[in-house]
Amino acid sequence: LPAAVLLKDTKLMDVKLGQLGSWLAMRDFTPGGILGAIRRGHERYYNKYINVRKGGLGGLSMVLAGYIILSYMWSYSHI
C-alpha cells in the first residue's frame, strides 16, 4: 500500500471530483493566503520560463500575448 497523501497536500490536478469540495474547504482564502498563492505561481512561472539556463521566447511571448489580450479587452469593453 502506498503511503496515504493528505488531501491538503495534493495538487488540484490530482484531486478527484468527489473530493473537490473538501479540498476547496482546506484552502486558505484569507488575503495572505491568496497573496501567497499568487507569489508561488509567479515564482513557478518565473523559474520555468524566464530564469532558465538556455532560454527561449516562450515565457516572454506568453507575457506579451497576455498583455495584448488584456489591452484588447480594455479597448473593446462593449464586446
Side-chain angles (χ1 to χ4, degrees):
L1 289 173
V5 178
L6 294 176
L7 186 60
K8 184 177 181 181
D9 296 334
T10 56
K11 296 178 183 178
L12 177 61
M13 296 301 291
D14 297 332
V15 174
K16 304 284 190 266
L17 191 56
Q19 300 171 334
L20 187 60
S22 58
W23 183 84
L24 281 173
M26 292 183 194
R27 300 292 100 193
D28 184 13
F29 288 107
T30 62
I34 293 172
L35 187 62
I38 292 171
R39 186 176 296 134
R40 285 190 305 273
H42 175 264
E43 288 175 4
R44 191 176 309 130
Y45 172 83
Y46 183 80
N47 288 329
K48 185 172 183 180
Y49 293 108
I50 306 296
N51 189 22
V52 292
R53 184 169 295 198
K54 184 179 179 183
L57 295 176
L60 293 176
S61 62
M62 285 172 46
V63 170
L64 182 62
Y67 172 74
I68 290 171
I69 291 170
L70 189 63
S71 65
Y72 180 82
M73 289 182 352
W74 283 339
S75 298
Y76 298 101
S77 61
H78 62 278
I79 293 180

